[in-house]
Amino acid sequence: MCGIVGVVSHSPVNQLLYDALLLLQHRGQDAAGIATNHANGFSMHKANGLVRDVFRTRNMRSLPGNTGLGQVRYPTAGSSSSEEEAQPFYVNAPFGIILAHNGNLTNAEQLKVEMFKNDRRHLNTDSDTEVLVNVFAHELQQATTGYSLDPAAVFKAVAMVHKRVRGSYAVVAQIAGYGLLGFRDPYGIRPMCLGFNETDKGSEYMLASESVALEGLGFRFLRDVMPGEAIFIDNDGKLYNQQCADNPTLNPCAFEFVYLARPDSVIDGASVYASRLKMGEYLAEKVRREIASGEIDVVMPIPDSSRPAAMELALKLNLDYREGFIKNRYIGRTFIMPGQGLRKKSVRQKLNAIGSEFKGKSVLLVDDSIVRGTTSREIVQMAREAGAKRVIFASAAPPVKFPNVYGIDMPTRDELIAYGRTDEEVCREITADALVYQDVEDLKRSISDINPALRNFEASCFDGNYITGDISRDYLDRIEFARKNPKPALEDAVRSQLNLNLARVD
Ligand SMILES: O=P(O)(O)OC[C@H]1O[C@H](OP(=O)(O)OP(=O)(O)O)[C@H](O)[C@@H]1O
Ligand SMILES: NC(=O)CC[C@H](N)C(=O)O
Ligand SMILES: [Mg+2]
């Protein structure tokens, strides 16, 4: 998952995009980028780091223009955290195109070959986003004749992208001198919504991953972009839209509701906060069935993401709710950090226990999910060190047993604590006295209860069902192998090639 945003306005958009990226920072902490379009073309600045570190005043000054887009990145399977892969990406033919993407292409390797052999396009990084911008550019070239462009040609190109590309993709792109494009994959896996703002100078539009970016910047939420749909807003602020996929179906990612999205966002008509409360309600019923009454003295959330679920669970079980762990607000989200070492160290730096809340008590710790077990292992220990008599753990999400290939960085089975383990074995691994997991159906119900129109979900990490239909065992083995055997950094590869050539000359 990454955060993407695009704006068409009548005034400079650099500050608006910066502020939108700050509101989407929870979706990606590795890199950030902004590109704007003006009379002389595009200006772009992107680098590794948090939004506040990537953009200095001088960078902001160098981003003029009334339309633009931005991205905060969290790298996924197949790609690396290298600076070259920070987004957005630029291509210069058939028009100047800048593109940013949230999601993960599952046929990127095959497309790379097609790019080289058939489309005659050079790719310079391992990023699937670079593949995507080149597929779109190639299809736009096929759809246009001459120098001018109309929305029909843009939609034709998006329709071809849907035919060639597999996986998940919510995309914002800019075509120099023409306008802003947004589209969502035909399964509607990753979120994207459209907002509107009326100003003295005319209407402004914003496309963003989450409604929080619209609301926080004074835009009115208009609607979600539909799966397969493309929206094109020209530089004068005129909006065009078209369904570009043959059989679109809506299958939002369940993990967005569990963890990825901000609770104050509404995704595909379901409030993330209300869904998390429901998760707490269903989890409470399961705790009631599995843990004898009187065995829990107090319920505690693992801040931040589990708070609504833990609160509702305590309410339903008529138990005290206490904040026993305090979070250092200057440390980012640990799950989306690169590298297990960094994640592990950050848990203790991030969370600290208030001893008096634990002494002699039997505590029920509630987290939104247990993925690698980094957080839960540390937290159970910390609760014991703080004097807890008994530590029971509950997860508002079901066991994460399968890799994710649609934009969440969980590519290898071995790193998932619940892979190949029973619930009892996971309980032993995290050294808890008891462990209660949400059921998969109850997780889905927690979201459908809020918006009954949502019946199907992308929930592969919980149920192993890969809805795009192209994920074979062999594919999972390959991405797992790639993760365990990373390619040398580009620099090393170039150096070794150089040495090889020099050796040949000798
Ligand atoms: O089992 P793990 O691999 O540790 O992953 C799960 C944990 O990671 C996330 O927290 P994170 O610190 O990223 O963010 P938060 O502050 O939003 O809860 C999530 O909320 C769980 O606490
Ligand atoms: N998490 C994401 O959405 C990542 C987008 C893209 N696959 C990248 O690695 O940059
Ligand atoms: Mg957490």
Side-chain angles (χ1 to χ4, degrees), residues 350-363:
K350 177 177 158 175
L351 295 164
N352 191 37
I354 300 180
S356 56
E357 289 299 329
F358 291 86
K359 287 217 166 46
K361 290 187 187 159
S362 172
V363 296

Side-chain angles (χ1 to χ4, degrees), residues 184-206:
R184 225 174 142 186
D185 71 68
Y187 292 92
I189 298 173
R190 304 255 73 91
M192 185 155 71
C193 57
L194 172 68
F196 173 79
N197 186 31
E198 199 56 70
T199 71
D200 304 346
K201 297 178 189 156
S203 354
E204 301 180 315
Y205 286 98
M206 182 184 281

Side-chain angles (χ1 to χ4, degrees), residues 15-34:
Q15 190 62 45
L16 197 61
L17 288 167
Y18 177 93
D19 293 342
L21 291 186
L22 279 184
L23 286 162
L24 296 172
Q25 184 78 82
H26 61 284
R27 299 184 67 84
Q29 302 171 163
D30 265 44
I34 291 180

Side-chain angles (χ1 to χ4, degrees), residues 170-299:
V171 171
V172 284
Q174 257 192 303
I175 305 172
Y178 286 98
L180 177 76
L181 170 71
F183 56 96
R184 225 174 142 186
D185 71 68
Y187 292 92
I189 298 173
R190 304 255 73 91
M192 185 155 71
C193 57
L194 172 68
F196 173 79
N197 186 31
E198 199 56 70
T199 71
D200 304 346
K201 297 178 189 156
S203 354
E204 301 180 315
Y205 286 98
M206 182 184 281
L207 287 161
S209 295
E210 287 184 38
S211 60
V212 65
L214 310 179
E215 263 183 39
L217 295 167
F219 278 69
R220 187 156 55 84
F221 173 88
L222 281 181
R223 64 182 179 85
D224 292 287
V225 177
M226 287 181 293
E229 184 190 21
I231 291 186
F232 184 67
I233 305 149
D234 70 20
N235 283 351
D236 298 325
K238 193 162 180 334
L239 185 142
Y240 306 82
N241 72 306
Q242 189 170 303
Q243 177 52 258
C244 298
D246 291 339
N247 295 303
T249 54
L250 182 57
N251 309 262
C253 167
F255 208 67
E256 289 276 353
F257 292 89
V258 168
Y259 165 75
L260 299 179
R262 261 178 58 151
D264 44 344
S265 283
V266 176
I267 295 181
D268 292 316
S271 146
V272 174
Y273 179 74
S275 310
R276 288 183 189 167
L277 291 181
K278 276 279 168 198
M279 287 172 211
E281 195 178 318
Y282 284 114
L283 188 59
E285 284 171 26
K286 189 140 180 223
V287 169
R288 204 195 303 274
R289 291 196 299 272
E290 297 196 354
I291 310 285
S293 71
E295 263 197 55
I296 303 165
D297 297 326
V298 62
V299 176

Side-chain angles (χ1 to χ4, degrees), residues 279-280 283 287 298-303 305-311 313-314 321 325 363-369 379 392-396:
M279 287 172 211
L283 188 59
V287 169
V298 62
V299 176
M300 287 180 192
I302 312 297
S305 297
S306 70
R307 279 209 180 97
M311 209 165 57
L313 178 144
Y321 170 84
F325 291 101
V363 296
L364 172 62
L365 305 180
V366 181
D367 208 349
D368 54 88
S369 57
I379 286 291
I392 302 167
F393 208 94
S395 162

